Coordinates of all heavy atoms in Angstrom, one line a residue:
M200 N 108.3 99.1 114.1 CA 106.8 99.3 113.9 C 106.5 100.7 113.9 O 107.1 101.5 114.6 CB 106.1 98.5 114.9 CG 104.6 98.5 114.7 SD 103.9 97.1 115.5 CE 102.2 97.4 115.0
A201 N 105.5 101.1 113.3 CA 105.0 102.5 113.2 C 104.6 103.0 114.6 O 104.0 102.3 115.4 CB 103.9 102.7 112.2
S202 N 104.9 104.2 114.9 CA 104.5 104.8 116.2 C 103.0 105.0 116.2 O 102.4 105.5 115.3 CB 105.2 106.1 116.4 OG 104.7 106.8 117.5
M203 N 102.3 104.5 117.3 CA 100.9 104.7 117.4 C 100.5 106.1 117.5 O 99.4 106.5 117.1 CB 100.4 103.9 118.6 CG 100.5 102.4 118.3 SD 99.6 101.9 116.8 CE 98.9 100.4 117.3
E204 N 101.3 107.0 118.1 CA 100.9 108.4 118.2 C 100.9 109.0 116.8 O 100.1 109.9 116.6 CB 102.0 109.1 119.1 CG 102.0 108.7 120.5 CD 103.0 107.6 120.8 OE1 104.0 107.5 120.1 OE2 102.7 106.7 121.6
R205 N 101.8 108.6 115.9 CA 101.8 109.2 114.6 C 100.7 108.7 113.7 O 100.3 109.4 112.8 CB 103.1 108.9 113.9 CG 104.3 109.7 114.4 CD 105.5 109.5 113.6 NE 105.5 108.2 113.0 CZ 106.4 107.8 112.0 NH1 107.3 108.6 111.7 NH2 106.3 106.6 111.5
E206 N 100.2 107.5 113.9 CA 99.2 106.9 113.0 C 97.9 107.5 113.2 O 97.4 107.7 114.4 CB 99.1 105.4 113.3 CG 100.0 104.6 112.4 CD 99.7 103.1 112.6 OE1 98.9 102.7 113.5 OE2 100.3 102.4 111.8
S207 N 97.2 107.8 112.2 CA 95.8 108.4 112.3 C 94.9 107.2 112.6 O 95.2 106.0 112.4 CB 95.4 109.1 111.0 OG 95.3 108.1 110.0
R208 N 93.7 107.6 113.0 CA 92.7 106.6 113.2 C 92.3 105.8 112.0 O 92.0 104.6 112.0 CB 91.4 107.2 113.8 CG 90.4 106.3 114.2 CD 89.2 106.9 114.9 NE 88.3 105.9 115.3 CZ 87.0 106.1 115.5 NH1 86.5 107.3 115.4 NH2 86.2 105.1 115.8
F209 N 92.3 106.5 110.8 CA 92.0 105.9 109.5 C 92.9 104.8 109.2 O 92.5 103.7 108.9 CB 92.0 107.0 108.5 CG 91.7 106.5 107.1 CD1 90.4 106.4 106.7 CD2 92.7 106.1 106.2 CE1 90.1 105.9 105.4 CE2 92.4 105.7 104.9 CZ 91.1 105.6 104.5
I210 N 94.2 105.0 109.4 CA 95.3 104.0 109.2 C 95.2 102.8 110.2 O 95.3 101.7 109.8 CB 96.7 104.6 109.1 CG1 96.8 105.6 108.0 CG2 97.7 103.5 109.0 CD1 96.6 105.0 106.6
R211 N 94.9 103.1 111.4 CA 94.8 102.1 112.4 C 93.6 101.2 112.1 O 93.6 100.0 112.2 CB 94.6 102.6 113.8 CG 95.9 103.1 114.4 CD 95.8 103.3 115.9 NE 94.7 104.3 116.3 CZ 94.9 105.6 116.4 NH1 96.1 106.1 116.2 NH2 93.9 106.4 116.7
D212 N 92.5 101.8 111.7 CA 91.3 101.0 111.3 C 91.5 100.2 110.1 O 91.0 99.1 110.0 CB 90.1 102.0 111.1 CG 89.6 102.6 112.4 OD1 90.0 102.1 113.4 OD2 88.8 103.5 112.3
L213 N 92.2 100.8 109.1 CA 92.6 100.0 107.9 C 93.3 98.7 108.2 O 92.9 97.7 107.7 CB 93.4 100.9 106.9 CG 94.0 100.2 105.7 CD1 92.8 99.9 104.7 CD2 95.0 101.0 105.0
F214 N 94.4 98.8 109.0 CA 95.2 97.6 109.2 C 94.5 96.7 110.3 O 94.9 95.6 110.4 CB 96.6 98.0 109.7 CG 97.4 98.5 108.5 CD1 97.6 99.9 108.2 CD2 97.9 97.6 107.6 CE1 98.4 100.3 107.1 CE2 98.6 98.0 106.5 CZ 98.9 99.4 106.3
A215 N 93.5 97.2 110.9 CA 92.8 96.3 111.8 C 91.7 95.5 111.1 O 91.2 94.5 111.6 CB 92.1 97.1 112.9
N216 N 91.4 95.9 109.9 CA 90.4 95.3 109.0 C 90.9 94.3 108.0 O 90.6 94.3 106.9 CB 89.5 96.3 108.3 CG 88.6 97.1 109.2 OD1 88.2 96.6 110.2 ND2 88.3 98.3 108.7
A217 N 91.8 93.4 108.5 CA 92.3 92.4 107.6 C 91.2 91.4 107.2 O 90.6 90.8 108.1 CB 93.5 91.6 108.3
V218 N 91.0 91.3 105.9 CA 89.9 90.4 105.5 C 90.4 89.0 105.1 O 89.7 88.0 105.5 CB 89.2 91.1 104.2 CG1 88.1 90.2 103.6 CG2 88.6 92.4 104.6
K219 N 91.5 89.0 104.4 CA 92.0 87.7 103.9 C 93.5 87.7 103.9 O 94.1 88.6 103.6 CB 91.4 87.5 102.5 CG 91.8 86.2 101.9 CD 91.1 85.8 100.6 CE 91.0 86.9 99.6 NZ 90.5 86.5 98.3
Q220 N 94.1 86.6 104.4 CA 95.5 86.4 104.3 C 95.8 85.3 103.3 O 95.4 84.2 103.4 CB 96.0 85.9 105.7 CG 97.5 85.7 105.9 CD 98.2 87.0 106.3 OE1 97.6 87.9 106.9 NE2 99.4 87.2 105.9
E221 N 96.6 85.7 102.3 CA 97.0 84.8 101.2 C 98.5 84.5 101.4 O 99.1 85.0 102.4 CB 96.8 85.4 99.9 CG 95.3 85.7 99.6 CD 95.1 86.5 98.3 OE1 96.1 86.9 97.7 OE2 93.9 86.8 98.0
A222 N 99.0 83.7 100.6 CA 100.4 83.3 100.7 C 101.4 84.5 100.7 O 102.2 84.6 101.6 CB 100.8 82.3 99.6
D223 N 101.2 85.3 99.7 CA 102.1 86.5 99.6 C 101.4 87.8 99.8 O 102.1 88.8 99.9 CB 102.6 86.5 98.1 CG 103.6 85.4 97.8 OD1 104.2 84.8 98.8 OD2 103.8 85.0 96.7
F224 N 100.1 87.9 99.9 CA 99.4 89.1 100.0 C 98.4 89.1 101.2 O 97.9 88.0 101.6 CB 98.5 89.4 98.8 CG 99.4 89.8 97.6 CD1 99.8 88.9 96.7 CD2 99.7 91.2 97.4 CE1 100.6 89.3 95.6 CE2 100.5 91.5 96.3 CZ 100.9 90.6 95.4
T225 N 98.1 90.3 101.8 CA 97.1 90.4 102.8 C 96.1 91.4 102.2 O 96.5 92.5 101.7 CB 97.7 90.9 104.1 OG1 98.7 90.0 104.5 CG2 96.6 91.0 105.2
V226 N 94.8 91.1 102.4 CA 93.7 92.0 101.9 C 93.1 92.7 103.1 O 92.7 92.1 104.1 CB 92.7 91.2 101.1 CG1 91.6 92.1 100.6 CG2 93.3 90.5 100.0
F227 N 93.0 94.1 103.0 CA 92.4 94.9 104.0 C 91.2 95.6 103.4 O 91.2 96.1 102.3 CB 93.4 96.0 104.5 CG 94.7 95.4 105.1 CD1 95.8 95.3 104.3 CD2 94.7 95.0 106.4 CE1 97.0 94.8 104.8 CE2 95.9 94.5 106.9 CZ 97.0 94.4 106.2
K228 N 90.1 95.7 104.2 CA 89.0 96.5 103.8 C 89.2 98.0 104.3 O 89.5 98.2 105.4 CB 87.7 96.0 104.5 CG 86.5 96.7 104.0 CD 85.2 96.1 104.5 CE 84.0 96.8 104.0 NZ 84.0 98.2 103.8
V229 N 89.1 98.9 103.3 CA 89.3 100.3 103.6 C 88.1 100.8 104.4 O 86.9 100.6 104.0 CB 89.5 101.1 102.3 CG1 89.6 102.6 102.6 CG2 90.7 100.6 101.5
P230 N 88.3 101.5 105.5 CA 87.2 101.9 106.3 C 86.4 103.1 105.7 O 86.8 104.3 105.8 CB 87.8 102.3 107.6 CG 89.3 102.6 107.3 CD 89.6 101.8 106.1
T231 N 85.4 102.8 105.0 CA 84.6 103.8 104.3 C 83.1 103.3 104.3 O 82.9 102.1 104.2 CB 85.0 104.1 102.9 OG1 84.2 105.1 102.3 CG2 85.1 102.9 102.0
K232 N 82.2 104.2 104.4 CA 80.8 103.9 104.3 C 80.2 104.0 102.9 O 79.1 103.5 102.6 CB 80.0 104.8 105.3 CG 80.3 104.6 106.7 CD 79.6 105.5 107.6 CE 80.1 105.3 109.1 NZ 79.5 106.3 110.0
R233 N 80.9 104.7 102.1 CA 80.3 105.0 100.7 C 80.5 103.9 99.7 O 79.6 103.7 98.9 CB 81.0 106.3 100.2 CG 80.4 107.5 100.8 CD 81.0 108.7 100.0 NE 81.7 109.5 101.0 CZ 82.8 110.2 100.8 NH1 83.4 110.1 99.7 NH2 83.3 110.9 101.8
E234 N 81.5 103.2 99.8 CA 81.8 102.1 98.8 C 82.6 101.0 99.4 O 83.1 101.1 100.5 CB 82.5 102.7 97.6 CG 83.9 103.2 97.9 CD 84.6 103.7 96.6 OE1 84.9 102.8 95.8 OE2 84.8 104.9 96.5
K235 N 82.7 100.0 98.6 CA 83.5 98.8 99.0 C 84.9 98.9 98.3 O 85.0 98.8 97.1 CB 82.9 97.5 98.6 CG 81.5 97.3 99.3 CD 80.9 96.0 98.7 CE 79.5 95.9 99.3 NZ 78.8 94.8 98.7
M236 N 85.9 99.2 99.1 CA 87.3 99.3 98.6 C 88.2 98.4 99.4 O 88.1 98.4 100.6 CB 87.8 100.7 98.6 CG 89.1 100.9 98.0 SD 89.7 102.6 98.0 CE 88.8 103.3 96.6
Y237 N 89.0 97.7 98.7 CA 89.9 96.8 99.4 C 91.3 97.1 98.9 O 91.6 97.5 97.8 CB 89.6 95.3 99.0 CG 88.2 94.9 99.5 CD1 87.1 95.0 98.7 CD2 88.1 94.4 100.8 CE1 85.9 94.6 99.2 CE2 86.8 94.0 101.3 CZ 85.7 94.2 100.4 OH 84.5 93.8 100.9
L238 N 92.3 96.9 99.9 CA 93.7 97.2 99.6 C 94.4 95.8 99.8 O 94.4 95.2 100.8 CB 94.2 98.2 100.6 CG 95.7 98.6 100.4 CD1 95.8 99.4 99.1 CD2 96.1 99.5 101.6
R239 N 95.0 95.4 98.7 CA 95.7 94.1 98.7 C 97.2 94.4 98.7 O 97.7 95.0 97.7 CB 95.3 93.3 97.4 CG 95.8 91.9 97.3 CD 95.2 91.2 96.2 NE 95.7 89.9 96.1 CZ 96.5 89.5 95.1 NH1 96.8 90.3 94.1 NH2 96.9 88.3 95.1
V240 N 97.9 94.1 99.8 CA 99.3 94.5 100.0 C 100.2 93.3 100.1 O 99.8 92.3 100.8 CB 99.4 95.3 101.3 CG1 100.8 95.8 101.5 CG2 98.5 96.5 101.3
K241 N 101.3 93.3 99.4 CA 102.3 92.3 99.5 C 102.7 92.2 101.0 O 103.0 93.3 101.6 CB 103.5 92.6 98.6 CG 104.5 91.5 98.6 CD 104.6 90.9 97.2 CE 105.8 90.1 97.1 NZ 105.5 88.7 96.9
T242 N 102.7 91.1 101.6 CA 102.9 90.9 103.0 C 104.3 91.5 103.5 O 104.3 92.1 104.5 CB 102.9 89.4 103.4 OG1 101.6 88.9 102.9 CG2 103.0 89.2 104.9
D243 N 105.3 91.4 102.7 CA 106.6 92.0 103.2 C 106.7 93.5 103.0 O 107.6 94.1 103.5 CB 107.8 91.3 102.4 CG 107.7 91.4 100.9 OD1 106.6 91.7 100.4 OD2 108.7 91.1 100.3
L244 N 105.7 94.1 102.4 CA 105.7 95.6 102.3 C 104.8 96.3 103.4 O 104.7 97.5 103.4 CB 105.2 96.0 100.9 CG 106.1 95.7 99.8 CD1 105.4 96.1 98.5 CD2 107.4 96.5 99.9
I245 N 104.1 95.5 104.2 CA 103.1 96.1 105.1 C 103.7 97.1 106.0 O 103.2 98.2 106.2 CB 102.3 95.0 105.8 CG1 101.4 94.2 104.9 CG2 101.5 95.5 107.0 CD1 100.7 93.0 105.5
E246 N 104.8 96.8 106.6 CA 105.4 97.7 107.6 C 105.9 99.0 106.9 O 105.7 100.1 107.5 CB 106.6 97.0 108.4 CG 106.1 96.1 109.4 CD 105.1 96.7 110.4 OE1 105.4 97.8 110.9 OE2 104.1 96.0 110.7
Q247 N 106.5 98.9 105.7 CA 106.9 100.1 105.0 C 105.8 100.9 104.6 O 105.8 102.2 104.8 CB 107.7 99.7 103.7 CG 109.0 99.0 103.9 CD 109.6 98.5 102.6 OE1 108.9 98.3 101.6 NE2 110.9 98.3 102.6
I248 N 104.7 100.4 104.2 CA 103.5 101.1 103.8 C 102.8 101.7 105.0 O 102.4 102.9 105.0 CB 102.5 100.2 103.0 CG1 103.1 99.9 101.7 CG2 101.2 100.9 102.9 CD1 102.4 98.8 100.9
R249 N 102.8 101.0 106.1 CA 102.2 101.5 107.3 C 102.9 102.7 107.9 O 102.3 103.6 108.4 CB 102.1 100.4 108.4 CG 101.3 100.7 109.5 CD 101.1 99.5 110.4 NE 100.1 99.9 111.5 CZ 99.4 99.0 112.1 NH1 99.4 97.8 111.9 NH2 98.5 99.5 113.0
E250 N 104.2 102.7 107.8 CA 105.0 103.8 108.3 C 105.0 105.0 107.3 O 105.4 106.1 107.7 CB 106.5 103.4 108.5 CG 106.6 102.4 109.6 CD 108.0 101.8 109.7 OE1 108.9 102.1 108.9 OE2 108.2 101.0 110.7
S251 N 104.6 104.8 106.1 CA 104.5 105.9 105.1 C 103.4 106.9 105.4 O 102.3 106.5 105.9 CB 104.3 105.4 103.7 OG 104.1 106.4 102.8
Q252 N 103.6 108.2 105.2 CA 102.6 109.2 105.5 C 101.7 109.4 104.2 O 100.8 110.1 104.3 CB 103.3 110.5 105.8 CG 104.1 110.4 107.1 CD 103.3 110.1 108.3 OE1 102.2 110.6 108.5 NE2 103.8 109.2 109.1
H253 N 102.0 108.7 103.1 CA 101.3 109.0 101.9 C 100.1 108.1 101.7 O 99.3 108.4 100.8 CB 102.3 108.7 100.7 CG 103.5 109.6 100.8 ND1 103.5 111.0 100.5 CD2 104.8 109.3 101.0 CE1 104.7 111.5 100.7 NE2 105.5 110.5 101.0
L254 N 100.0 107.0 102.4 CA 99.0 106.0 102.1 C 97.6 106.6 102.4 O 96.7 106.4 101.6 CB 99.2 104.7 103.0 CG 98.1 103.7 102.9 CD1 98.1 103.1 101.5 CD2 98.3 102.6 103.9
E255 N 97.4 107.3 103.5 CA 96.1 107.8 103.8 C 95.7 108.9 102.8 O 94.5 108.9 102.4 CB 96.2 108.5 105.2 CG 94.8 109.0 105.6 CD 94.8 109.6 107.1 OE1 95.9 109.6 107.7 OE2 93.7 110.0 107.5
K256 N 96.6 109.7 102.4 CA 96.3 110.7 101.4 C 95.9 110.1 100.1 O 94.9 110.5 99.4 CB 97.5 111.7 101.2 CG 97.2 112.8 100.2 CD 98.3 113.7 100.0 CE 98.0 114.8 99.0 NZ 99.1 115.7 98.8
M257 N 96.6 109.0 99.6 CA 96.3 108.3 98.4 C 94.9 107.7 98.5 O 94.1 107.9 97.6 CB 97.3 107.2 98.1 CG 97.0 106.5 96.9 SD 97.9 104.9 96.7 CE 97.1 103.9 98.0
L258 N 94.6 107.0 99.6 CA 93.3 106.4 99.7 C 92.1 107.4 99.8 O 91.1 107.2 99.2 CB 93.3 105.4 100.9 CG 94.1 104.2 100.8 CD1 94.2 103.4 102.1 CD2 93.6 103.3 99.7
K259 N 92.3 108.4 100.5 CA 91.2 109.4 100.6 C 91.0 110.1 99.2 O 89.9 110.5 98.9 CB 91.6 110.4 101.7 CG 91.3 109.8 103.1 CD 91.4 110.8 104.2 CE 91.1 110.0 105.5 NZ 91.0 111.0 106.6
T260 N 92.1 110.3 98.5 CA 91.9 110.9 97.1 C 91.1 109.9 96.2 O 90.2 110.3 95.5 CB 93.3 111.2 96.5 OG1 94.0 112.1 97.3 CG2 93.1 111.7 95.1
L261 N 91.4 108.7 96.3 CA 90.7 107.7 95.5 C 89.2 107.6 96.0 O 88.3 107.5 95.1 CB 91.3 106.3 95.7 CG 92.6 106.1 94.9 CD1 93.2 104.7 95.4 CD2 92.4 106.1 93.4
L262 N 89.0 107.7 97.2 CA 87.6 107.7 97.7 C 86.8 108.9 97.3 O 85.6 108.8 97.0 CB 87.6 107.6 99.3 CG 88.0 106.2 99.8 CD1 88.2 106.3 101.3 CD2 87.0 105.2 99.5
S263 N 87.5 110.0 97.2 CA 86.8 111.3 96.8 C 86.4 111.3 95.3 O 85.5 111.9 94.9 CB 87.6 112.5 97.2 OG 88.7 112.6 96.3
K264 N 87.2 110.5 94.5 CA 86.9 110.5 93.1 C 85.9 109.4 92.7 O 85.4 109.4 91.6 CB 88.2 110.3 92.4 CG 89.2 111.5 92.5 CD 90.4 111.3 91.6 CE 91.4 112.5 91.9 NZ 90.9 113.7 91.5
H265 N 85.7 108.4 93.6 CA 84.8 107.3 93.3 C 83.7 107.3 94.3 O 83.9 106.7 95.4 CB 85.6 106.0 93.3 CG 86.7 105.9 92.3 ND1 86.5 105.7 91.0 CD2 88.0 106.0 92.5 CE1 87.7 105.7 90.4 NE2 88.6 105.9 91.3
R266 N 82.6 107.9 94.0 CA 81.5 108.0 95.0 C 80.3 107.2 94.7 O 79.2 107.5 95.1 CB 81.1 109.5 95.1 CG 82.2 110.3 95.7 CD 81.8 111.6 96.0 NE 82.9 112.3 96.6 CZ 82.9 113.4 97.3 NH1 81.7 114.0 97.4 NH2 83.9 114.0 97.7
V267 N 80.5 106.1 94.0 CA 79.3 105.2 93.7 C 79.2 104.1 94.8 O 80.2 103.4 95.0 CB 79.5 104.5 92.3 CG1 78.4 103.6 92.0 CG2 79.7 105.6 91.2
A268 N 78.1 104.1 95.4 CA 77.9 103.2 96.6 C 78.1 101.7 96.2 O 78.5 100.9 97.0 CB 76.6 103.5 97.3
S269 N 77.6 101.3 95.0 CA 77.7 99.9 94.7 C 79.0 99.5 94.1 O 79.1 98.3 93.8 CB 76.5 99.6 93.7 OG 76.7 100.3 92.5
Q270 N 79.9 100.4 93.9 CA 81.2 100.0 93.2 C 82.1 99.3 94.2 O 82.2 99.7 95.4 CB 81.9 101.3 92.8 CG 83.1 101.0 92.0 CD 83.8 102.3 91.5 OE1 83.3 103.4 91.8 NE2 84.9 102.2 90.8
S271 N 82.7 98.3 93.8 CA 83.7 97.6 94.6 C 85.0 97.6 93.8 O 85.1 97.4 92.6 CB 83.3 96.1 94.7 OG 84.2 95.4 95.5
E272 N 86.1 98.0 94.5 CA 87.4 98.1 93.9 C 88.5 97.5 94.8 O 88.4 97.6 96.0 CB 87.7 99.6 93.7 CG 88.9 100.0 93.0 CD 89.1 101.4 92.7 OE1 88.2 102.2 93.0 OE2 90.1 101.8 92.2
E273 N 89.5 96.9 94.1 CA 90.6 96.3 94.9 C 91.9 96.9 94.3 O 92.1 96.9 93.1 CB 90.6 94.8 94.7 CG 91.7 94.2 95.5 CD 91.7 92.7 95.5 OE1 90.7 92.1 96.1 OE2 92.6 92.1 94.9
I274 N 92.6 97.5 95.2 CA 93.9 98.1 94.8 C 95.0 97.2 95.3 O 95.0 96.8 96.5 CB 94.1 99.5 95.5 CG1 92.9 100.4 95.1 CG2 95.4 100.1 95.2 CD1 92.7 101.6 95.9
T275 N 95.9 96.8 94.4 CA 97.0 95.9 94.7 C 98.3 96.7 94.8 O 98.6 97.4 93.9 CB 97.1 94.8 93.7 OG1 95.9 94.1 93.6 CG2 98.2 93.9 94.0
I276 N 99.0 96.6 95.9 CA 100.3 97.2 96.0 C 101.3 96.0 96.2 O 101.3 95.3 97.1 CB 100.4 98.1 97.3 CG1 99.4 99.2 97.2 CG2 101.8 98.6 97.4 CD1 99.4 100.1 98.3
S277 N 102.2 95.9 95.2 CA 103.2 94.9 95.1 C 104.6 95.5 95.1 O 104.7 96.8 95.0 CB 103.0 93.9 94.0 OG 103.2 94.6 92.8
Q278 N 105.6 94.7 95.1 CA 107.0 95.3 95.0 C 107.2 96.1 93.7 O 107.8 97.2 93.8 CB 108.0 94.1 95.0 CG 109.4 94.6 95.2 CD 109.7 95.1 96.6 OE1 109.1 94.6 97.6 NE2 110.5 96.1 96.8
G279 N 106.6 95.7 92.6 CA 106.8 96.4 91.4 C 106.1 97.8 91.3 O 106.7 98.7 90.7
N280 N 104.9 97.9 91.9 CA 104.3 99.2 91.8 C 104.3 100.0 93.1 O 103.6 101.0 93.3 CB 102.8 99.1 91.4 CG 102.0 98.3 92.3 OD1 102.4 98.0 93.4 ND2 100.8 98.0 91.9
Y281 N 105.1 99.6 94.1 CA 105.2 100.3 95.4 C 105.7 101.8 95.2 O 105.1 102.6 95.8 CB 106.2 99.5 96.3 CG 106.5 100.2 97.6 CD1 105.5 100.4 98.6 CD2 107.8 100.8 97.8 CE1 105.8 101.0 99.7 CE2 108.0 101.4 99.0 CZ 107.0 101.5 100.0 OH 107.3 102.2 101.2
R282 N 106.6 102.0 94.3 CA 107.1 103.4 94.1 C 106.0 104.3 93.5 O 106.0 105.5 93.8 CB 108.3 103.4 93.2 CG 109.6 102.8 93.9 CD 110.8 103.0 93.1 NE 111.9 102.2 93.6 CZ 112.4 101.2 92.9 NH1 112.0 101.0 91.6 NH2 113.3 100.4 93.4
L283 N 105.2 103.7 92.7 CA 104.1 104.5 92.1 C 103.1 105.0 93.2 O 102.6 106.1 93.1 CB 103.3 103.7 91.1 CG 104.1 103.3 89.8 CD1 103.2 102.3 89.0 CD2 104.5 104.5 89.0
F284 N 102.8 104.2 94.2 CA 101.9 104.5 95.2 C 102.5 105.5 96.2 O 101.8 106.3 96.8 CB 101.4 103.3 95.9 CG 100.4 102.5 95.1 CD1 100.8 101.4 94.5 CD2 99.1 103.0 95.1 CE1 99.8 100.7 93.7 CE2 98.2 102.3 94.3 CZ 98.5 101.2 93.6
M285 N 103.8 105.4 96.4 CA 104.4 106.2 97.5 C 105.3 107.3 96.8 O 105.5 108.3 97.1 CB 105.3 105.4 98.4 CG 104.6 104.3 99.1 SD 103.2 104.9 100.0 CE 102.1 103.5 99.9

């Protein structure tokens, strides 16, 4: 499991906000006040993604480019596109 000292507050809040558990995916609400963004992650990839240092940078970049308050977006990370995100 990822070390709690290394994890930022943003990442801890993200993984604490599990919205929905599906058969193969878990949906997390991204902690932001500006828009509604959800991260849909393949359940067997959660630990790999949580330990990665790139997830927070990717999400903050997406948030900085999409500043419309009413916009809702869902990002899916599956086995096939995992390398693209990381």
Side-chain angles (χ1 to χ4, degrees):
M200 183 158 184
S202 171
M203 289 305 218
E204 295 90 31
R205 287 187 332 171
E206 267 186 354
S207 70
R208 183 173 182 204
F209 181 83
I210 296 297
R211 282 194 304 268
D212 290 347
L213 171 72
F214 285 103
N216 289 334
V218 175
K219 183 169 44 169
Q220 182 88 27
E221 298 172 354
D223 293 336
F224 288 91
T225 304
V226 179
F227 301 97
K228 184 176 184 319
V229 177
T231 179
K232 295 177 183 173
R233 281 189 237 141
E234 68 176 288
K235 296 175 186 172
M236 183 179 282
Y237 296 93
L238 183 66
R239 187 171 178 249
V240 181
K241 184 114 168 119
T242 305
D243 57 346
L244 291 175
I245 290 175
E246 285 304 316
Q247 291 174 337
I248 290 170
R249 191 170 186 157
E250 292 173 357
S251 171
Q252 300 297 317
H253 303 288
L254 179 64
E255 182 175 4
K256 183 178 180 184
M257 178 197 70
L258 290 174
K259 287 189 175 185
T260 300
L261 286 171
L262 288 171
S263 71
K264 294 187 183 294
H265 302 284
R266 294 192 179 193
V267 178
S269 63
Q270 183 179 3
S271 180
E272 186 174 354
E273 183 174 292
I274 301 164
T275 301
I276 300 177
S277 63
Q278 191 70 35
N280 64 8
Y281 174 68
R282 288 189 197 117
L283 294 173
F284 285 101
M285 301 305 147

